[in-house]
Amino acid sequence: MELSSVPDTIPPRAQVQVPLEVANLLASRDVAVLDFSYAFGTSLVDAKLRLPVVLNKFLQTITLTPEEFFSQWKALTVHSLKVQEVVKGVKPMPLSEMANLFMSLHLAVAPGLDNNPNNLVACTTFFSEATRAMLCLIRVETDPQDRTQLRLTVASGDQYLTFELKEFIKEHLVDIPRTQVAPPRAAVQPQLPTTAPATYNDPGTMLAGLL
């Protein structure tokens, strides 16, 4: 980060803009904090400001054809580059609301790439000094019988980016209770529906067969 020069004194009822330039070095969910202090008469005010510089600020939506998506998805065969996790404690929401959430995070939802109406596919481009422009692919498989869990798969050409983006998406999907609640009773959770064997005649079965 590079901060422009700050004036020694700000007149009463005046505002001064101080531009802050941020360069993204690599994928990270670390919070950017600006130490901000000033004197008001004999009082010293010291505050730490959390800056709105988060991972999705460096994402740009992209549109891919089914052929482009599947070729990239199939090429990412290394386990650390394509990470899958069953996420529990998800905030129950319709798939349309989840799609809107993804779009707000600069993850472009690609309708039609998965013929299962309970699944969601998205893609985006991440920019940093380490990765330059790197394509990221996301697939979410939901269980209509239990909206509190889903299977999340994230793939990219950089293992650190794959992990950080997966965790970033999880942070926006998981419902974190603000008050302490009693431990849930042990119960058998419904299993995610199994996909039919890939026939390579439709995008959904192709995608499932490549996992």
Side-chain angles (χ1 to χ4, degrees):
M1 296 184 289
E2 184 177 349
L3 186 66
S4 301
S5 59
V6 182
D8 295 332
T9 303
I10 300 178
R13 301 180 182 275
Q15 295 183 0
V16 177
Q17 290 187 350
V18 182
L20 175 66
E21 185 176 357
V22 180
N24 185 26
L25 302 181
L26 46 81
S28 174
R29 287 170 294 120
D30 291 343
V31 178
V33 178
L34 176 67
D35 289 330
F36 180 70
S37 61
Y38 63 93
F40 178 68
T42 59
S43 302
L44 180 65
V45 180
D46 191 2
K48 294 184 181 297
L49 304 179
R50 294 166 61 95
L51 301 178
V53 182
V54 290
L55 190 145
N56 67 303
K57 291 288 187 180
F58 305 97
L59 296 177
Q60 184 175 15
T61 56
I62 185 174
T63 302
L64 298 179
T65 65
E67 293 76 14
E68 293 170 333
F69 184 94
F70 289 122
S71 64
Q72 294 292 332
W73 186 270
K74 188 176 181 179
L76 296 169
T77 57
V78 180
H79 176 70
S80 59
L81 299 181
K82 184 187 291 181
V83 178
Q84 184 179 97
E85 180 179 344
V86 174
V87 183
K88 298 185 178 181
V90 175
K91 293 179 289 187
M93 67 181 77
L95 209 61
S96 58
E97 184 178 336
M98 186 181 298
N100 291 334
L101 171 64
F102 274 37
M103 291 299 295
S104 70
L105 299 177
H106 300 168
L107 306 174
V109 176
L113 285 185
D114 196 322
N115 65 338
N116 189 329
N118 299 311
N119 297 347
L120 184 147
V121 174
C123 49
T124 190
T125 303
F126 176 76
F127 295 87
S128 74
E129 292 290 335
T131 63
R132 299 300 175 182
M134 180 160 289
L135 180 66
C136 305
L137 308 175
I138 303 101
R139 188 192 191 202
V140 177
E141 301 167 83
T142 68
D143 181 359
Q145 303 302 319
D146 185 0
R147 292 293 186 183
T148 64
Q149 66 173 354
L150 53 80
R151 182 183 290 120
L152 173 64
T153 307
V154 178
S156 79
D158 180 83
Q159 61 178 344
Y160 302 106
L161 171 57
T162 298
F163 175 79
E164 292 291 339
L165 182 58
K166 176 180 70 71
E167 294 298 311
F168 178 77
I169 296 174
K170 277 175 55 180
E171 290 176 356
H172 288 79
L173 291 175
V174 174
D175 185 13
I176 302 176
R178 296 183 180 275
T179 58
Q180 187 173 3
V181 297
R185 294 179 297 175
V188 178
Q189 297 292 336
Q191 298 296 317
L192 291 170
T194 57
T195 55
T199 62
Y200 301 101
N201 292 326
D202 61 86
T205 53
M206 290 175 61
L207 194 59
L210 295 174
L211 288 176

